[in-house]
Amino acid sequence: MSRTAASRGVAYASNPLLEVKLPTWRSRLVLFLLFSAFFALIARALFLQVKSTDFLQKQGASRYTRNIELPATRGKITDRNGQVLASSVPVRAIWADPEDVRAAPAEKLSQLASLLEMSEPDLRKKLDSDRQLVYLKRQVEMPVAEKILALGIPGIEARKEYKRYYPEGEVMAHVVGFTSVEDIGQEGIELASEKNLAGKPGSRRVIKDRLGRIVEDIQAIREPHDGKDLTLSIDSKIQYIAFTHLKQAVEKHKAKAGGAVVIDVQTGEVLALVNLPTYNPNDRSVLTGAQLRNRVLTDTFEPGSTMKPFPVAWALETGRVTPDTIIETAPGVMKIGPETIHDAHKQGSLTVSQVIQKSSNIGTVKMALQMPPKEMWELFTTVGFGQQPKIGFPGAVAGRLRNHKNWRPIEQATMSYGHGVSVSLIQMARAYTIFARNGDLIPLTFEKTSEMPHGQRVISEKTAQQMRLMMESVTELGGTATQARVAGYRVAGKTGTAHKLEGGRYVKKYIGDFVGFAPVSKPRVIVAVMIDEPTTGGYYGGIVAAPVFAAITANVLRSMNVPPDSSVTSIIPDTSVQESM
């Protein structure tokens, strides 16, 4: 019976346990979803391959391509004769990927710290950063950079950059200035001519691996354009002459500071500009504000008697006096309202020429008070006092000259002999061009030029010639600056001595200055010298500044091959008369 049942068999579908009870729509839904997902993938692939190609390529490129800067070489600065005053030398900036470097052996990290001239703890502190790039040291000399890379420390790389080098060091510091580690001008000509000197950096696109190494150079995006070279009016030889003699004077008189400037009378070119104290722009590890100050341009002072030639010249120009007009200065004091002015010595009756030679305050005041305040104020502003010098040099100041509408008689009187007004040394040097150039005022420049400047007529040629003879007498026997004489050359100028102002009050500290030119027969250079707070050997301009003028002028005229115009063969001993203050 069992065999019969087996032969008949049982249909599989008829077994109630195996019967499919799922609805047919579910299978169709699954099939639909599968096809939908398939088509969605196709659509997404088409979208990515067609519409988003540019975006995806940019995203991919951002993972391995980099734009690297190609630094431009900063332009050279040279003196008027082509001697290099500032140039750029290639160096390296050492940077690191902290994550990679920290894994380096301790021995190599110690060697790296030694080459970077830092302690190992300081190095590890720099590497303790979440940033992907950390500068370890900038402007590393090439031999040192090569030794660092030779250590083979993963994550240590070097980038090309430039370091500024100044061959003349402290002698030229206040003219040339210096740049930052980013090669950006910070002082002097480096700052004033930053736009032209700096040039424009370029860039290139490269492929880097994950360690930051360049594996392929793709294309140049922008080629670098090197900065333009700049030729200054400065003469390195004359600069050194001025620096040497100024330094000797500052040390001799134990002065706080000093400054000197040499100007070419014919072109207005600044041939030398020196300041003390100074600094070495190649080593700025220890700097103070006093060292950085370009005193010739930025410091103002009451010029004292060096101001006297201007009101005297205007009195001559307007016909109020002649060189031989007698002016009574006795008894050596003069009352103006409740105030009293003095001469250093009782002089009695003086000619106008002697007023300049003896440096009489009273004689100068009597001429100045003959003119309306506005007239005297216009003369001062015309020659540049109270005006910021337009010389394209950072930090040049205007000084102080109040409007004539506010002048009282005593103020007009004191300003005529250089008190109550402040100027910079370069302002005073430029103003003296009206005496050295037959009456016209010219602009100054720190760039070499072959063009003759267009001057502004201030006084007549006759008046300028008369003033030259008067100022020449200042350096002769009986004058206040016999120590300004130069063997073989006729020189002219004026001494100045003034109390310093501190907290709005005059104190027993002095500035002695001298401004002059040579040779008198055909002036070639103007030299202005200022000694700030001399403490030994006197403080009058004729004692502390005039000898510096003489030493600088003598050497400058010879270096420029200016023919002598005098038979004087020796310098007169110190018998100078003290000028009134």
Side-chain angles (χ1 to χ4, degrees), residues 328-332 343-350 358 360 577-578 580:
E328 185 58 60
T329 67
D343 272 343
H345 304 280
K346 294 179 181 180
Q347 304 288 354
S349 298
L350 298 175
K358 306 293 183 182
S360 168
V577 177
Q578 294 176 348
S580 297

Side-chain angles (χ1 to χ4, degrees), residues 315 318-321 325 327 363-373 375 412:
T318 55
R320 293 182 170 99
V321 297
T325 299
I327 297 179
T364 305
V365 168
K366 285 189 172 182
M367 283 182 273
L369 292 181
Q370 293 181 37
M371 58 189 76
E375 204 171 311
Q412 181 177 358

Side-chain angles (χ1 to χ4, degrees), residues 491-508:
V491 300
K494 190 71 190 74
T495 56
T497 308
H499 284 282
K500 293 186 70 173
L501 274 168
E502 289 185 0
R505 294 185 177 184
Y506 289 106
V507 295
K508 289 196 69 175

Side-chain angles (χ1 to χ4, degrees), residues 68-281:
I68 60 172
E69 184 178 283
L70 302 176
T73 303
R74 195 174 179 86
K76 293 196 301 288
I77 300 175
T78 64
D79 80 343
R80 63 186 304 106
N81 300 312
Q83 183 168 330
V84 176
L85 305 180
S87 61
S88 295
V89 295
V91 289
R92 292 291 183 266
I94 304 299
W95 60 270
D97 183 335
E99 185 177 352
D100 291 334
V101 178
R102 283 195 296 264
E107 181 183 349
K108 288 199 172 185
L109 287 180
S110 178
Q111 292 176 338
L112 175 62
S114 177
L115 289 169
L116 292 173
E117 297 180 337
M118 64 175 64
S119 66
E120 193 170 339
D122 288 341
L123 175 60
R124 291 187 179 277
K125 185 177 179 180
K126 281 197 170 190
L127 294 173
D128 186 18
S129 172
D130 295 331
R131 295 163 56 190
Q132 291 184 337
L133 186 151
V134 174
Y135 278 109
L136 300 181
K137 189 173 182 180
R138 304 291 300 274
Q139 297 190 345
V140 177
E141 302 293 339
M142 292 292 288
V144 178
E146 290 172 1
K147 290 179 181 178
I148 289 172
L149 295 177
L151 293 175
I153 301 175
I156 293 292
E157 296 290 339
R159 184 175 72 87
K160 183 180 179 181
E161 61 181 8
Y162 292 95
K163 179 181 180 180
R164 210 67 165 155
Y165 175 63
Y166 303 96
E168 298 297 314
E170 63 179 8
V171 175
M172 203 69 68
H174 288 100
V175 174
V176 179
F178 58 87
T179 61
S180 66
V181 293
E182 301 291 346
D183 218 19
I184 299 173
Q186 302 295 299
E187 294 285 345
I189 292 295
E190 292 278 31
L191 174 59
S193 300
E194 169 66 21
K195 186 175 180 181
N196 290 328
L197 288 169
K200 295 181 179 180
S203 63
R204 293 189 70 82
R205 182 166 294 150
V206 298
I207 295 177
K208 291 188 174 183
D209 63 15
R210 73 177 191 86
L211 297 178
R213 296 172 299 195
I214 297 175
V215 296
E216 185 178 349
D217 192 339
I218 301 176
Q219 69 176 113
I221 300 175
R222 185 178 63 254
E223 292 295 333
H225 294 283
D226 292 339
K228 297 178 180 178
D229 293 343
L230 181 62
T231 302
L232 300 184
S233 60
I234 298 293
D235 187 313
S236 294
K237 185 187 296 184
I238 295 176
Q239 179 81 4
Y240 182 77
I241 290 169
F243 179 84
T244 301
H245 292 293
L246 180 68
K247 185 177 181 180
Q248 290 173 354
V250 169
E251 291 174 350
K252 175 182 177 181
H253 297 287
K254 295 182 180 178
K256 176 183 177 181
V261 60
V262 181
I263 295 171
D264 189 315
V265 170
Q266 297 179 355
T267 63
E269 294 171 296
V270 178
L271 301 177
L273 183 153
V274 294
N275 291 275
L276 286 170
T278 185
Y279 62 95
N280 185 349

Side-chain angles (χ1 to χ4, degrees), residues 298-341:
T298 65
D299 282 19
T300 59
F301 59 96
E302 292 192 344
S305 297
T306 50
M307 183 67 82
K308 290 175 181 175
F310 298 99
V312 172
W314 195 248
L316 290 169
E317 182 72 11
T318 55
R320 293 182 170 99
V321 297
T322 68
D324 298 320
T325 299
I326 301 295
I327 297 179
E328 185 58 60
T329 67
V333 295
M334 179 179 178
K335 295 284 288 185
I336 301 178
E339 307 293 337
T340 304
I341 61 173

Side-chain angles (χ1 to χ4, degrees), residues 20-42:
V20 178
K21 296 180 179 180
L22 294 174
T24 57
W25 63 269
R26 289 191 63 176
S27 61
R28 292 174 182 171
L29 177 61
V30 170
L31 184 62
F32 174 76
L33 292 175
L34 288 173
F35 275 105
S36 296
F38 178 72
F39 282 115
L41 289 173
I42 293 176

